[in-house]
Each structure stands twice: as C-alpha cells, then as structure tokens.
Amino acid sequence: MLSNTGIAQQCVVSLLLLFSLYDGANGQGFKVDLNSPKSIVEASKVIAKRLISYYKGEEPGEILGILPGPPDSGRGPYYWWQAGAMWGTYVDYWHYTRDDTYVKQTTDAILFQADPPKNAFMPLNWTSSLGNDDQAFWGMAAMLAAEVKFPDPPADQPGWLELAMATFNTQAAPDRHDELCNGGLHWQISQYNIGYDYKNTIANGCFFNLGARLARYTGNQSYADWAEKTWDWIVGVKYIDENWNVYDGGYGLRDNCTTVTKSQFSANVAVLIHGAAMMYNHTKAEKWKTAVDGLLDRCIEFFFPNGIMIERPCELEDEMKCNVDQHSFKGYMHRALATVAQLAPHTHDKIYKVLKTSTEAAVKSCLPDGTCGFRWTLGKYDGDVDRGPAGQAMSALAAVMTMLIDVDPAKIGAPVTADTGGTSKGNPDAGALPGPFDPPPPLTGKDRAGAGVITAVIIGTLIAALVWMGLDLWEGDK
C-alpha cells in the first residue's frame, strides 16, 4: 500500500503530465514531449478520447460500427468506409499505447460490420455505394489486428485473419475482374453503381496491399502472386510513372484506361508503399526495395514540403478543397510510413526525421481537449469542422502515436507473421458463401422439377380461387 507521500508524488507526476499538454503561454494549444514515451501515450489518450466522441453507433437508433452518415441520409458526413479506417486507427492505437479502453468497441464494430456469415465486409445496407476500396479498408483493419496481435474475438466468432482472407477472396474472385484495361479491379463492386467504369489506384492498391500482407503473414505463394500481378498492372497502366508519381486512375469503357487522371492523393501512396515494404520484407527482392525507395523519396518531396505533410491536390494555400474523406488521409500516410520504417530498416532515419517534423506541426493544430485541425502548416488550430472532424482527429492521433517507433522501439514490434508469434485464426475458404453481388447458381434438374411442382400448385390454387369467386358472384345475383 502506498504511503501518503507516495500518493502525493504520483499525483504530482500525473498533474505534470496533464499540464504538459497545455500551452502555458496562452492557455490554448496542445503540447507533448515527442522524446518521452509517457508524454506521447498521454497525449494519444487525449486525442483518442476526442475521436471516439464523434462515434454514435452505440446510441439508440444508430448503427453499430459506423460514423454518422452517409451524407445523403442527413445523419452525418461520413461514408461507411471511413469507420473501417477509424477502427484500424484504434487497432494501431492499442498496439502503440497498450491502452485497452477501446478494445471491446473496436472488436464489436468490426465483427458487426463484417456481415456474417460471409464475413467479407459487404453489408446489404451499403451496396448502392460500396467500392472495392471501401470493403478493403475494413479488411485491412482486420489484417492489422492479426499483425499486431490485437486481442482475439470471442471463440464463436471469426478470427481477424479469417476476416482479411474473406475480403481478399471476394476481391480475387473472377466476377471482380474483366478484360477492360487488360485487368484490374473496378472502383465500385456493382456495375450499377456510379463510378463502376473507373479503374482506380486506391481499389487496386488496397487489393495489392492486402495480398502482400497475407503473403507475408501466411507464407502462401498464391497471395504473393496476386500481389505482384496487381502491382505490375498498376505500373503497366501507368498509374505509377517512371518518376514514382502515383496517379489516381483511368476509365475502362471510355478509353481503356489510356487517359490517366493525374491527381496525386496521399492515400494511394500510403497503401502502395506499405504493401511494397511488406513484399520487400517477405521476399528481400530488389524489385521491392527499389519500389520502396522510389515511392518514399517522391512521397517526401511531394507531400512533405518543409517537413510538414499537406494533402497537395486539395489543401491549397489560398483555398481548402479537401472533402470529408480526404481530411483523414494524413493519418494513413503517417501510419504507413511508420510501419515501412520497421519493415525496411534502411528507411528508418529518413522516415522518422520527416514524421517528427510533421508531427510537431500536427500537435500545434490541436486544442487542449484533443480537437485537432487539418492545416498543420498554420501552427495553430484552423477551426475546420465543416468537413469532419473525425478525419482530423484520426490524422493527429496517427501522427502522435507513431512517434513511439523511435522513442520506445523495444515495445513497438514490427507486424508479426504466423511464424513470428501470430496467433489469429484463418480460413483459406473464407468469403465463399453467397453474397449480395454474387450471381445465382445455375439451375439443376432437381431445381427445375421442384419449380415445376411449385408452379403447378400455384396455378391450381389460383384456378380454384377463381372458381370459388365465380360461384360466390353467381350466388349474389340470385
């Protein structure tokens, strides 16, 4: 039992940590010692608490697992996929801080949105706007849970690895691929959705990323083959050019993906460099080292001018054009690069240097309660709440917590595999059950015979009803 003196000393330490988050000069701002593991964890807790306040899924009348939305419902500004990205952020939050405050919420949300029994993240509620990238963000959150040994789901539920496999298997299925542009996934899953003709980098990059990670985790060559095939396709259609610029996509029916949309968003680069680092770590092949180094150098040059991350296509100096989705992109980049530094150690110093200066700026964008801004270059909170604010919090949280890869590396291990401590249960056949986008199975002879019997019964019943109605009418005339 602690003495009064010991209790007093603990209180003083706690108060000092709390006050270290505040700017003593003006009573505003949010400060953290990025060289102190304890300070980083405490600051991360504050932002994580603010981020979860934007989640309403456990309140009466709301939907478990999702952020308020979608926009056309009038319920909030967020699309379904962004909640998957948020729970992935909380998986990483647990990994970096070991704070288990949000473990149950994260587990419940991911399992609910997995949509059993297929468990491939394709809920019927979202089919009208469901993209391959949307599905993949949930699948990547599950994959991350397996890689960082996030607490396993209950025994009667699918494991994290099984959820990731189910997602991958549905995207590798023949009905997701065609000959337009010589292959590649469409942006949207259903051909009836707006944007189906667009074959973009994010959909294919996420599929590549998931395949690379499954290859590394399981050692199964088929995943590696899919990852390499997808990477080669992305390069082949020139979504990645010779200078390692990463472009957004192209249209299949319009011109066979020959006219490339040259917007450069950081989320595309994040999933690609993360996947390339997984392949490099798994194979040690020079092809993947070259890809990691090329993407990294161009990424830093393009997205981190003066060492502070900006979302170049929409975060303009005199105008903010970034939408709600894009307000979360900085978080994916910071988290991806932190993992790249672990998987490809020769990149560590270069990555940590730029992540630290960017995080220093991110911290200045936050208020004492963990509310954070988007424009990290301003040196203060920007008041941007119209396009969020969950994305801003996800990004700031990612920036702060990933500093622990350098400050406390002994506790923050690289993603595990089945051979290096991974325990999550998989199922190579996961995702095989029929889903909302699957064509009906062909009719068999028994099906046709059964249908004939049912049809005869229905017709007989209809005739009997008509006769009865006719008799009743005749009786009325009398």
Side-chain angles (χ1 to χ4, degrees):
M1 182 177 294
L2 286 173
S3 65
N4 289 340
T5 302
I7 293 172
Q9 288 174 339
Q10 280 200 348
C11 289
V12 169
V13 170
S14 297
L15 286 170
L16 287 172
L17 283 170
L18 178 63
F19 287 128
S20 73
L21 302 178
Y22 291 77
D23 185 344
N26 54 20
Q28 296 181 347
F30 182 92
K31 286 202 170 185
V32 54
D33 180 357
L34 296 180
N35 296 309
S36 164
K38 188 173 289 188
S39 180
I40 291 170
V41 169
E42 291 301 317
S44 298
K45 287 181 178 180
V46 174
I47 303 174
K49 184 176 181 181
R50 171 53 63 187
L51 173 57
I52 206 67
S53 72
Y54 306 133
Y55 170 59
K56 310 297 181 184
E58 295 170 346
E59 296 180 4
E62 299 296 333
I63 301 174
L64 185 68
I66 69 167
L67 288 162
D72 58 4
S73 71
R75 300 169 71 93
Y78 306 101
Y79 286 103
W80 176 73
W81 76 272
Q82 200 164 341
M86 183 186 77
W87 297 120
T89 301
Y90 274 110
V91 171
D92 250 347
Y93 170 78
W94 174 86
H95 172 57
Y96 283 105
T97 68
R98 284 300 187 264
D99 176 12
D100 62 4
T101 301
Y102 309 104
V103 166
K104 187 178 186 305
Q105 281 179 297
T106 301
T107 300
D108 291 347
I110 294 175
L111 292 178
F112 186 82
Q113 291 298 325
D115 192 38
K118 197 176 183 75
N119 292 313
F121 301 106
M122 295 190 297
L124 280 170
N125 288 5
W126 311 108
T127 54
S128 64
S129 62
L130 187 58
N132 280 295
D133 54 337
D134 303 333
Q135 180 192 16
F137 265 91
W138 286 88
M140 291 188 295
M143 188 71 235
L144 177 64
E147 291 168 337
V148 301
K149 301 179 70 172
F150 191 73
D152 288 325
D156 62 342
Q157 297 293 320
W160 303 125
L161 183 60
E162 180 175 344
L163 295 176
M165 287 176 166
T167 304
F168 181 86
N169 287 345
T170 59
Q171 296 200 344
D175 61 300
R176 296 283 180 100
H177 301 262
D178 58 28
E179 295 305 313
L180 286 173
C181 311
N182 199 32
L185 288 171
H186 289 265
W187 175 28
Q188 295 292 299
I189 296 175
S190 171
Q191 61 181 317
Y192 303 108
N193 287 1
I194 296 173
Y196 177 77
D197 187 42
Y198 198 46
K199 290 198 167 185
N200 60 0
T201 302
I202 192 62
N204 289 279
C206 288
F207 182 56
F208 159 72
N209 180 282
L210 200 50
R213 295 163 76 171
L214 284 167
R216 179 180 177 272
Y217 191 97
T218 67
N220 188 319
Q221 184 60 36
S222 63
Y223 293 124
D225 291 344
W226 266 112
E228 186 151 17
K229 177 182 177 180
T230 305
W231 172 271
D232 290 346
W233 180 85
I234 293 170
V235 173
V237 290
K238 302 188 185 305
Y239 293 176
I240 303 175
D241 72 11
E242 65 278 5
N243 296 314
W244 299 101
N245 292 298
V246 177
Y247 301 123
D248 198 61
Y251 291 89
L253 288 172
R254 184 182 299 179
D255 59 10
N256 208 38
C257 300
T258 56
T259 302
V260 176
T261 302
K262 293 200 171 182
S263 300
Q264 298 188 59
F265 291 101
S266 64
N268 291 328
V269 181
V271 296
L272 289 173
I273 193 171
H274 185 272
M278 287 283 176
M279 290 297 287
Y280 172 62
N281 185 268
H282 176 53
T283 68
K284 302 299 187 290
E286 190 65 25
K287 171 180 181 176
W288 300 114
K289 182 179 185 296
T290 300
V292 169
D293 293 345
L295 287 171
L296 178 59
D297 288 344
R298 182 57 180 147
C299 166
I300 292 174
E301 178 185 29
F302 189 80
F303 290 107
F304 293 86
N306 302 312
I308 301 172
M309 188 174 176
I310 62 172
E311 192 61 29
R312 285 281 291 271
C314 56
E315 187 182 350
L316 309 180
E317 188 172 341
D318 58 347
E319 185 180 4
M320 172 55 65
K321 291 188 174 182
C322 298
N323 61 26
V324 173
D325 290 357
Q326 292 153 1
H327 272 61
S328 65
F329 285 5
K330 294 178 183 180
Y332 314 142
M333 179 64 82
H334 269 252
R335 289 169 54 208
L337 290 181
T339 304
V340 171
Q342 295 177 310
L343 296 172
H346 71 279
T347 67
H348 174 276
D349 292 350
K350 183 182 292 186
I351 287 175
Y352 182 71
K353 178 181 178 181
V354 74
L355 289 189
K356 187 172 185 181
T357 56
S358 187
T359 301
E360 289 169 347
V363 166
K364 293 176 183 177
S365 81
C366 298
L367 298 176
D369 67 352
T371 302
C372 297
F374 180 69
R375 285 186 179 269
W376 296 353
T377 55
L378 295 182
K380 62 181 180 180
Y381 177 60
D382 61 8
D384 183 359
V385 295
D386 293 336
R387 302 172 183 88
Q392 293 91 311
M394 288 163 60
S395 294
L397 177 58
V400 172
M401 68 188 182
T402 52
M403 287 291 92
L404 290 167
I405 63 163
D406 192 80
V407 178
D408 203 7
K411 291 184 179 179
I412 313 300
V416 301
T417 71
D419 294 330
T420 60
T423 59
S424 188
K425 296 178 181 179
N427 175 7
D429 298 321
L433 291 171
F437 299 101
D438 298 323
L443 292 176
T444 64
K446 290 182 179 179
D447 292 329
R448 293 188 181 92
V453 171
I454 293 172
T455 302
V457 170
I458 292 173
I459 291 174
T461 303
L462 181 59
I463 291 172
L466 290 172
V467 170
W468 179 83
M469 290 173 64
L471 290 173
D472 188 56
L473 286 172
W474 278 106
E475 297 238 347
D477 287 342
K478 292 179 181 177

